[in-house]
Amino acid sequence: MAHIVLDVRILETSTGRYMQRLIEHINDRYSNDGHHYTAVMPTQYVTKWQERLPNIKVAGSDAKWYTFAEQIGFYFFLKSLRPDLVHFTMPQQPLLWNGPSITTVHDMTLIRFENIDSSDNPFIYKFKKAVFNSLMRVVMYRGKAIITPTNFVREDLGRVYGNKYLPKIQVTYEAGEIPDQAPEPLSNFLGKDYICTVGNMFPYKNVERVILAFEQVVKQSPNLHLLCAGKKDDFALQLEKMVTEHNIPNVHFLGFISDGQKRWMLENARAYVTASLSEGFCIPVLEAMYAGCPVISSNASCLPETGGDAALYFDPHSTEELTERINTLLNNEPLRQSYIQKGLQRVNDFSWEKMVDETHAIYQRVLNG
């Protein structure tokens, strides 16, 4: 019997869906496979998740990534668990760890883009970026296996760190689903036509392009609204300032919304739009498709791999092209309905169960040497 430890310290963040589904399905599908599993997460979530995961052990660690506590304290914490294999579900991990490990690399955004807001010290940010790049080189070298959510990320890792690592990199596609919560209406937008975008507003997300295209669209469709759901951080405030300065009507920054609100928003939107320049998988694209919401997507990075033929693509550097795509979809209902049907079919190509089955197979292969 092997002891497999899963480091899921970011499972309650906006990028934690992957970790949540991984441990849930291991609990449900593999708790009787002869191995012993421990999920490590912040102590404040241990009680809640232990109730949800009765078949595996949940342990608490408050070691934050990019900290001395992670490099030293978390290292000794892992040692105390005496694992036969550790699955780090994000690249951040103790440099000192030399036991058998697997790492999931979700994307290369931190390497390729600067996401510095007014509260960040640029020198500290660049130092962290350099540390992350150095850590990635160690992870690529010592990991028994590397997991990525798309072939795009797999090939990107090969380009940056060397094609010699490609044989150890395996793709396990993620999925998307309608949030479990019942739809919770956004009362200010009942009965109104709107398009929407969801997620953080870092510069690489290119939300500015969506707003600039909407500025042109709303001239022809004055009753249309744009809903931007995501954390109201410095980047969001900068975009709000731009909207005010440009006097663009009907743009709304919602801040964080619940899963129930997101479900209602997607189910009732005229279209979901992402102009992102870089993604590792982009779960919201599939969430929109599950909700019967047609998707207008950037053709950058992995997005065509995720969306397949079920999204209407555009060049994320072209405001004119995005404007044309939005107007075309809004003014051609048969076309809009065709993309809704394509999306509902596309989501059947992905499942969390398959992702976990493939991950479990990697565990078995590594443990068997």
Side-chain angles (χ1 to χ4, degrees), residues 293-334:
C293 180
V295 172
I296 302 173
S297 172
S298 157
N299 62 12
S301 68
C302 71
L303 286 160
E305 187 177 349
T306 301
D309 67 352
L312 190 60
Y313 295 102
F314 66 94
D315 177 354
H317 300 287
S318 173
T319 302
E320 293 75 18
E321 193 167 311
L322 175 53
T323 301
E324 186 274 331
R325 296 291 189 273
I326 296 172
N327 280 328
T328 296
L329 199 67
L330 294 181
N331 296 319
N332 187 333
E333 188 59 24

Side-chain angles (χ1 to χ4, degrees), residues 72-307:
I72 304 300
F74 189 55
Y75 166 75
F76 284 107
F77 176 80
L78 287 176
K79 292 281 283 187
S80 73
L81 296 176
R82 301 173 63 85
D84 297 292
L85 176 65
V86 177
H87 181 182
F88 295 104
T89 60
M90 57 182 179
Q92 297 90 323
Q93 57 194 259
L95 278 165
L96 292 173
W97 184 258
N98 59 1
S101 66
I102 294 167
T103 297
T104 299
V105 180
H106 299 275
D107 57 55
M108 293 288 286
T109 301
L110 185 61
I111 299 297
R112 298 197 176 283
F113 293 90
E114 301 285 342
N115 297 304
I116 306 175
D117 67 22
S118 61
S119 65
D120 288 324
N121 181 311
F123 298 104
I124 293 177
Y125 181 91
K126 290 182 181 298
F127 175 74
K128 286 183 177 180
K129 186 171 182 176
V131 169
F132 180 81
N133 194 23
S134 298
L135 174 62
M136 279 296 303
R137 294 186 183 280
V138 173
V139 167
M140 296 299 296
Y141 173 76
R142 74 182 179 191
K144 297 295 184 182
I146 305 296
I147 295 173
T148 64
T150 53
N151 279 301
F152 174 83
V153 178
R154 179 179 183 271
E155 293 164 5
D156 210 16
L157 286 172
R159 283 191 292 269
V160 175
Y161 298 110
N163 288 334
K164 62 185 178 182
Y165 293 119
L166 289 177
K168 72 164 66 175
I169 305 174
Q170 182 162 332
V171 175
T172 64
Y173 284 117
E174 297 174 12
E177 75 272 9
I178 295 288
D180 293 336
Q181 280 79 357
E184 182 182 343
L186 296 165
S187 58
N188 290 337
F189 303 101
L190 285 167
K192 295 182 179 179
D193 286 338
Y194 60 86
I195 60 175
C196 64
T197 188
V198 177
N200 69 59
M201 299 184 197
F202 291 152
Y204 77 88
K205 290 290 190 177
N206 206 20
V207 178
E208 178 179 357
R209 186 74 59 194
V210 178
I211 294 170
L212 292 175
F214 181 78
E215 182 179 21
Q216 302 305 312
V217 171
V218 79
K219 292 176 181 177
Q220 299 181 35
S221 304
N223 294 321
L224 187 69
H225 295 258
L226 170 62
L227 310 189
C228 303
K231 182 180 178 181
K232 279 205 174 186
D233 56 13
D234 191 62
F235 299 114
L237 294 175
Q238 291 175 30
L239 291 171
E240 283 188 288
K241 181 179 179 182
M242 183 194 80
V243 167
T244 300
E245 291 175 347
H246 285 230
N247 196 29
I248 306 173
N250 298 351
V251 178
H252 311 272
F253 294 87
L254 306 182
F256 173 82
I257 60 174
S258 69
D259 278 348
Q261 290 172 322
K262 179 168 68 171
R263 178 172 184 170
W264 182 89
M265 183 178 71
L266 291 173
E267 288 179 345
N268 291 277
R270 299 290 294 164
Y272 173 81
V273 183
T274 176
S276 185
L277 301 171
S278 179
E279 296 289 341
F281 184 79
C282 201
I283 289 174
V285 164
L286 293 186
E287 289 179 330
M289 291 178 179
Y290 264 105
C293 180
V295 172
I296 302 173
S297 172
S298 157
N299 62 12
S301 68
C302 71
L303 286 160
E305 187 177 349
T306 301

